[in-house]
Amino acid sequence: MTSQSQGIQQLLQAEKRAKDKLEEAKKRKGKRLKQAKEEAIAEIDHYRLQREKEFRNKQTNVMGSQGNFSAKIEEQTKETVRNLTSSYHKNMESMMKKLLSTICDINPEVHPNFRHAI
């Protein structure tokens, strides 16, 4: 009987050791999953930062060249306005004289298509 109870005790102890090993393995697995998740999150964050940096560089290059275009267009507009203003001031006097002479110097004459009633 004692050998039977001893055998049962050994089986119970073996079962307990197996149960402990399973729990320990589950804990290690949980730790490893948590560690893998943290590593994946860190890698994703690193990738995201890298892609955002590339995007900002490309955006700066595109927007920078658009800024140059707008500066060029602004300069061309100012130059055109300066040219038109100088042309206005240069030709204003002669145009006013021409306009006033056309309006004020009336030369009355009969229209060639006018038929005099007989």
Side-chain angles (χ1 to χ4, degrees), residues 35-111:
Q35 182 183 6
K37 184 178 177 181
E38 289 172 355
E39 289 174 0
I41 289 173
E43 189 175 332
I44 289 170
D45 288 342
H46 176 71
Y47 181 75
R48 181 182 296 126
L49 289 173
Q50 181 183 5
R51 297 298 288 179
E52 284 178 359
K53 183 178 178 184
E54 290 175 11
F55 173 75
R56 275 187 252 115
N57 287 339
K58 287 181 181 180
Q59 187 179 24
T60 302
N61 290 341
V62 170
M63 293 308 231
S65 41
Q66 285 182 354
N68 293 341
F69 286 138
S70 64
K72 287 179 183 178
I73 290 171
E74 185 70 28
E75 183 59 38
Q76 288 174 349
T77 304
K78 287 181 181 178
E79 182 65 29
T80 304
V81 168
R82 280 193 294 265
N83 289 340
L84 289 173
T85 304
S86 68
S87 176
Y88 166 77
H89 289 297
K90 186 171 71 174
N91 296 320
M92 180 184 70
E93 190 67 34
S94 64
M95 281 306 296
M96 288 301 286
K97 285 180 182 176
K98 195 174 193 179
L99 185 63
L100 286 174
S101 69
T102 302
I103 292 172
C104 295
D105 296 340
I106 299 173
N107 209 1
E109 53 186 50
V110 177
H111 195 273

